[in-house]
Amino acid sequence: MAVYQRSFEPYAGPLTQPAWRFLVLVRYALRDLFKSKLFTVFMTVCLIYPLLSVFAIYLRHNADLLANLATAGIEIEEWMPIDETFFGVFMRVQGMLAFFLVLFSGPRLVSRDIANNGLPLYLCRPFSKTQYVAGKLGVLLILSSAVTWIPGLLLWALQTGLEGSAWGAANLRSAVALVIGSWVWMVVLGLFALAISAWVKWRPLAGFALLLIFFGGVFFARAVEILFNTNWGYVLDLHHTIRRIWADLFATPAPFFFGRPLDLPIWSAWVTLALLVAVSLYLLSRRIRAYEVIS
Amino acid sequence: MSEAAGSTGNTLDGRLALRQLVGTMRLDLRRSMLSPRSLAVYFLAFAPLALVGVWALTPFPTDEFDGPQDGSMVFTVLFQLYIRVSVFFSGLFLFVSLYRSEILERSLHYYLLTPIRRELLALGKYAAALIAAAATFVVGTTAIYLTVLSPWGTAAMTNYLFSGPGLANLIQYLITVVLGCAGYGALFLLIGVLFRNPVLPAAALWVWEAANPLLPSFLKHLSVIYYLQSLYPVPLARGLFEVVGDPAPMWASIVGAIVFITFVLGVASWRVRKMDLAYGGE
Amino acid sequence: MSDPGIIRFDQVSKFYGEVLGVNQVDLSIGPGITGLVGPNGSGKSTLMNLMTGLLQPTEGRVTVLGVATDRPEQLFRMVGYCAQYDAFPPGLTCYQFIYSYLRVHGYADGDAERLTWSSIDRVGLSDAGRRRLAGFSKGMRQRARVAQAIAHEPQVLVLDEPLNGLDPMARAEVTDIFKEMAAEGRFILISSHILHEVDVLADRVALLDSGYVVAEGEIDEVRVEMEARPIQVLVRCERAKEVASALLLQDHLVEVLINDDGGGFLARTKNSGHFYEQLQDIVLREQVKVRKVKVADSDVRAVYQYLIEDEGKA
């Protein structure tokens, strides 16, 4: 009987803990994204509004300026209040920018792996479907966080520092709303973008599909309004839905449309988003698999 | 030796060109009507029908409507949305990817290795996608129109169609929807061959078309929706989604559309002729 | 100047941005089978794509039997190209695939059908003609692509790695087809990164490396140069200096380079058989533990490096 000397030596070094393994995908995806100059420029543009907000808060607390403005008869407290409306507007502006960030970066995340039969390479290793989705979603969450709740909370902290802790306590709701509102938007947007990316191979088409679904809903809602004389069509207008939730979180008036408020019950907005998340997870579970299907 | 093999001269044999055009359309029609993205087109074309179907089956206060002529008014507003969303995005899905989808599938070279002028190839691909889109939207528009008229009963509907303006209006809507497919299709074909990533130009076009009511009068003339609206048989009520302005004469809309489409196809063909085929990482 | 009797590359260069595809290629190809050989990335496919108008040269001019490559309507009456891309339009059967593109050529229904079946028969896919391409094995897909390239009976046939994925039987069959077509006076250009593969097929060969044509001519001339060249063997073992010293007593050894770590050496020998015998004797005699013996230049790139060096020395 032939006896073979065992010369193979398996890798015996340290391994990344399973709980953090998804971050490998995040790291490489972010590095890939920031290779694009256009993306880097857009990311920078996304931080302009927070910088302007910092400037506004600074002006609001500049004693010399306030004195000069008071001399000129301008009461800046009335003209530019730092309150729930200020943070609500911040949320809306940065939320939309987060949408465009996801539009830019989301469609390529899964489609590229599927188009190049790359999924088996990930999933034939000790790396689960959940970890894969977490890794891809992590990319979008990090990018969106960088333009939504993180600068928002910094602004809130700055204002609290300058105005005093009493202001912070009175406006705690804005801070909580910033965090919850951002995370809801980021998770919904991220999962849906990944689901689209998993089903639409060509990146631009995936981008168009995202645009259509987020901004085309208003046309559907309008058709329902014309035919049935009801506002209920707007529950499928995702842009309106998220604005309705933000308005509720920040305790600001319901969003206006065609010059009138659309006061649909808040639960309907939450149900819409919950359904969208469920559909996205289902679509992802169908498509993320460790084998290639030849039809 | 067969006829095609013998045609190697400089002058383009008309019959040969026609056969090549039909051959291209034959191949591309299958792609435009049976590919996964055609499902999106069918959804966009027929989802409004489901909505209108529910409306037609739901009892509504008849005192608000006098009869099928009022249904026709409802249709006009819906038709505007149909053009702006369904036709626009269907054109985008079908025409932007005429070349790009084949580059993604790495199958475009089979076309480019045939003895067909690339101008003719562009025309054939465009015509196939146009036939697919136009057929879908002609059926969709007709079905929605008839469904909107249906609540007043078959007799009233027949009377409105054949003794009133109903049929003439329907034909005019069908011409509009076909021209919409042709106009947006030509623009999206051009965007597809000029830009590697057409998202930004297509989004810009959408914003431009949507912002049409807000534009000064002379800029209104530079949009597809302006000419399409000029073809509506029933004038639109003024509103945020509706184009306001002096409508162009019908003949000008049709001739303008044809000239515009020819020009755009010419530019697209020139671009395709100069195109290097490189299947990079899309 | 364009010659109606040959395929001509006239000072052709192609750059992809700043990346070189091919550079200043001056090449004339006559009837018969010509092999285009080079390692991956050497510019074979670029040259073929330039010849078929899929790419436009940055500089220079390509003509095929007197026709410029930017005239597809004339060029592809004469040229068939089996490209390297293993992809097909979705949803088609083998028959539909070939037939549909013949219709784009402009053939009428009857002619297209006859030519389709003729080419399918020729590559031995008659039984699978009505099956969908998506269900084909790699070898069958390759044959389907060859069938599509020859369906319109082209005078010039360009084949990019046409034997990839074929089993030995299919290789023999497809090779016979190319030989038959060459015997009819057609121009056949075949690319491969395996020199031996082209050796049994081609009358002439052009060797490419890093975008340059480094050698061209009759295959026998190139083969003579190949046989004379020494091969490199990498040995990883204990007491490498002692083993290398013992080997250096042999005539066939051209040079020996000891690794920096002292754990092995690289030997260049003109007689590999003798080298291995001597190495075995030394190892057994001296009780040396050998970890690895590897031929370091079995890939074709080494051949080109050798050719380039040789030309440089000359």
Side-chain angles (χ1 to χ4, degrees), chain C residues 175-191:
Chain C
T175 304
D176 284 345
I177 296 169
F178 301 151
K179 283 180 176 168
E180 273 172 36
M181 295 181 82
E184 291 165 4
R186 297 178 209 249
F187 297 68
I188 299 185
L189 190 64
I190 295 181
S191 78

Side-chain angles (χ1 to χ4, degrees), chain A residues 92-127:
Chain A
R92 270 160 47 193
V93 172
Q94 293 303 105
M96 273 306 102
L97 289 172
F99 172 80
F100 286 107
L101 266 181
V102 170
L103 184 70
F104 193 98
S105 51
R108 70 172 79 177
L109 285 177
V110 183
S111 63
R112 203 179 265 186
D113 291 339
I114 289 179
N116 296 308
N117 293 324
L119 282 180
L121 292 177
Y122 288 110
L123 301 178
C124 70
R125 286 167 171 73
F127 196 73

Side-chain angles (χ1 to χ4, degrees), chain B residues 197-220:
Chain B
N197 186 344
V199 173
L200 279 181
L205 180 65
W206 196 35
V207 171
W208 178 258
E209 293 283 305
N212 190 279
L214 311 172
L215 296 175
S217 178
F218 71 99
L219 285 180
K220 281 190 203 313

Side-chain angles (χ1 to χ4, degrees), chain B residues 2-5 7-10 16 19-20 23-24 26-27 30-31 102 105-107 109-118 273-277 279, chain C residues 14 52-56 70-74 76-77 81 83 85 87-92 96-97 99-101 103-108 111 114 145 148:
Chain B
S2 55
E3 199 176 338
S7 304
T8 56
N10 273 330
L16 174 65
R19 278 208 302 269
Q20 290 186 317
T24 307
R26 208 176 151 275
L27 244 177
R30 164 196 288 272
R31 191 183 287 276
E102 290 207 55
E105 286 162 5
R106 298 178 177 233
S107 62
H109 63 281
Y110 292 117
Y111 265 131
L112 302 186
L113 296 174
T114 56
I116 184 172
R117 292 179 74 94
R118 293 198 181 173
R273 190 158 189 107
K274 297 285 168 197
M275 185 169 77
D276 269 357
L277 184 70
Y279 295 136
Chain C
K14 178 67 185 175
T52 49
L54 294 184
L55 296 175
Q56 302 292 328
D70 60 355
R71 305 298 300 266
E73 59 276 16
Q74 292 175 29
F76 293 111
R77 296 264 166 244
Y81 180 23
Y85 314 113
F88 300 94
L92 297 182
Q96 288 169 330
F97 166 59
Y99 172 85
S100 301
Y101 285 101
R103 294 302 298 270
V104 180
H105 272 253
Y107 289 99
D111 286 336
R114 180 178 54 75
R145 290 193 286 126
Q148 197 266 340

Side-chain angles (χ1 to χ4, degrees), chain A residues 121-155:
Chain A
L121 292 177
Y122 288 110
L123 301 178
C124 70
R125 286 167 171 73
F127 196 73
S128 67
K129 284 165 76 166
T130 312
Q131 284 171 313
Y132 177 83
V133 174
K136 298 293 181 181
L137 184 62
V139 179
L140 302 177
L141 293 183
I142 287 174
L143 291 172
S144 312
S145 294
V147 301
T148 52
W149 65 273
I150 292 175
L153 275 192
L154 288 174
L155 283 178

Side-chain angles (χ1 to χ4, degrees), chain B:
Chain B
M1 183 178 265
S2 55
E3 199 176 338
S7 304
T8 56
N10 273 330
T11 52
L12 192 67
D13 176 350
R15 280 179 58 205
L16 174 65
L18 187 64
R19 278 208 302 269
Q20 290 186 317
L21 189 70
V22 171
T24 307
M25 286 165 62
R26 208 176 151 275
L27 244 177
D28 249 56
L29 206 53
R30 164 196 288 272
R31 191 183 287 276
S32 293
M33 297 195 91
L34 300 176
S35 66
R37 68 179 183 279
S38 56
L39 291 179
V41 174
Y42 295 139
F43 175 79
L44 286 165
F46 296 109
L49 179 64
L51 200 64
V52 173
V54 173
W55 173 77
L57 293 171
T58 310
F60 57 89
T62 47
D63 54 337
E64 284 184 19
F65 297 95
D66 285 340
Q69 62 275 21
D70 278 358
S72 184
M73 292 298 290
V74 170
F75 178 82
T76 305
V77 181
L78 289 179
F79 186 71
Q80 174 79 340
L81 299 178
Y82 198 53
I83 291 277
R84 279 169 178 264
V85 180
S86 297
V87 174
F88 183 93
F89 275 96
S90 296
L92 197 157
F93 287 140
L94 273 181
F95 291 87
V96 157
S97 52
L98 276 181
Y99 282 92
R100 286 283 165 206
S101 68
E102 290 207 55
I103 289 174
L104 195 72
E105 286 162 5
R106 298 178 177 233
S107 62
L108 182 62
H109 63 281
Y110 292 117
Y111 265 131
L112 302 186
L113 296 174
T114 56
I116 184 172
R117 292 179 74 94
R118 293 198 181 173
E119 295 86 341
L120 204 58
L121 177 65
L123 183 65
K125 288 175 88 63
Y126 171 79
L130 180 58
I131 289 171
T136 306
F137 280 97
V138 162
V139 173
T141 304
T142 309
I144 294 170
Y145 188 74
L146 295 179
T147 309
V148 167
L149 301 183
S150 66
W152 288 275
T154 314
M157 186 168 75
T158 312
N159 188 42
Y160 180 71
L161 278 174
F162 299 109
S163 305
L167 189 61
N169 286 358
L170 175 62
I171 290 169
Q172 223 164 316
Y173 283 125
L174 294 182
I175 291 170
T176 310
V177 87
V178 170
L179 278 178
C181 292
Y184 285 127
L187 272 175
F188 286 127
L189 170 65
L190 186 64
I191 287 174
V193 296
L194 286 183
F195 299 95
R196 189 178 165 83
N197 186 344
V199 173
L200 279 181
L205 180 65
W206 196 35
V207 171
W208 178 258
E209 293 283 305
N212 190 279
L214 311 172
L215 296 175
S217 178
F218 71 99
L219 285 180
K220 281 190 203 313
H221 291 69
L222 299 178
S223 66
V224 175
I225 194 74
Y226 170 77
Y227 294 99
L228 294 181
Q229 196 208 298
S230 300
L231 296 171
Y232 291 1
V234 180
L236 273 171
R238 294 184 172 209
L240 197 61
F241 283 111
E242 290 78 33
V243 177
V244 181
D246 299 328
M250 190 174 179
W251 66 266
S253 294
I254 294 174
V255 172
I258 290 167
V259 170
F260 170 74
I261 290 163
T262 309
F263 169 73
V264 169
L265 281 181
V267 177
S269 303
W270 169 80
R271 182 69 189 85
V272 171
R273 190 158 189 107
K274 297 285 168 197
M275 185 169 77
D276 269 357
L277 184 70
Y279 295 136
E282 283 285 318

Side-chain angles (χ1 to χ4, degrees), chain A residues 63-286:
Chain A
D64 293 341
L65 181 77
L66 288 178
N68 288 340
L69 287 174
T71 312
I74 300 170
E75 287 297 329
I76 200 165
E77 277 192 36
E78 291 171 15
W79 181 58
M80 198 172 58
I82 310 292
D83 55 9
E84 65 280 357
T85 306
F86 175 87
F87 287 104
V89 171
F90 176 87
M91 183 77 252
R92 270 160 47 193
V93 172
Q94 293 303 105
M96 273 306 102
L97 289 172
F99 172 80
F100 286 107
L101 266 181
V102 170
L103 184 70
F104 193 98
S105 51
R108 70 172 79 177
L109 285 177
V110 183
S111 63
R112 203 179 265 186
D113 291 339
I114 289 179
N116 296 308
N117 293 324
L119 282 180
L121 292 177
Y122 288 110
L123 301 178
C124 70
R125 286 167 171 73
F127 196 73
S128 67
K129 284 165 76 166
T130 312
Q131 284 171 313
Y132 177 83
V133 174
K136 298 293 181 181
L137 184 62
V139 179
L140 302 177
L141 293 183
I142 287 174
L143 291 172
S144 312
S145 294
V147 301
T148 52
W149 65 273
I150 292 175
L153 275 192
L154 288 174
L155 283 178
W156 184 88
L158 176 69
Q159 168 69 9
T160 304
L162 292 172
E163 192 76 38
S165 56
W167 184 95
N171 289 276
L172 191 61
R173 183 182 180 122
S174 292
V176 175
L178 273 170
V179 176
I180 295 176
S182 299
W183 273 93
V184 168
W185 184 226
M186 292 186 317
V187 170
V188 169
L189 206 53
L191 281 175
F192 191 61
L194 292 185
I196 295 271
S197 171
W199 283 86
V200 184
K201 261 196 286 186
W202 190 34
R203 188 157 61 97
L205 272 192
F208 293 140
L210 265 177
L211 272 174
L212 174 66
I213 289 163
F214 274 88
F215 292 112
V218 64
F219 293 93
F220 168 81
R222 179 86 174 123
V224 170
E225 195 177 0
I226 292 163
L227 289 171
F228 299 101
N229 199 24
T230 172
N231 285 340
W232 277 95
Y234 289 94
V235 293
L236 290 184
D237 175 5
L238 294 174
H239 183 216
H240 170 265
T241 302
I242 192 65
R243 281 184 63 192
R244 178 74 185 85
I245 286 174
W246 286 337
D248 188 61
L249 288 170
F250 284 93
T252 52
F256 274 58
F257 197 76
F258 287 109
R260 60 193 160 79
L262 289 173
D263 45 0
L264 287 168
I266 187 66
W267 62 262
S268 65
W270 285 105
V271 168
T272 301
L273 294 193
L275 281 175
L276 188 62
V277 167
V279 169
S280 304
L281 287 173
Y282 172 73
L283 289 174
L284 281 169
S285 71
R286 286 286 310 277

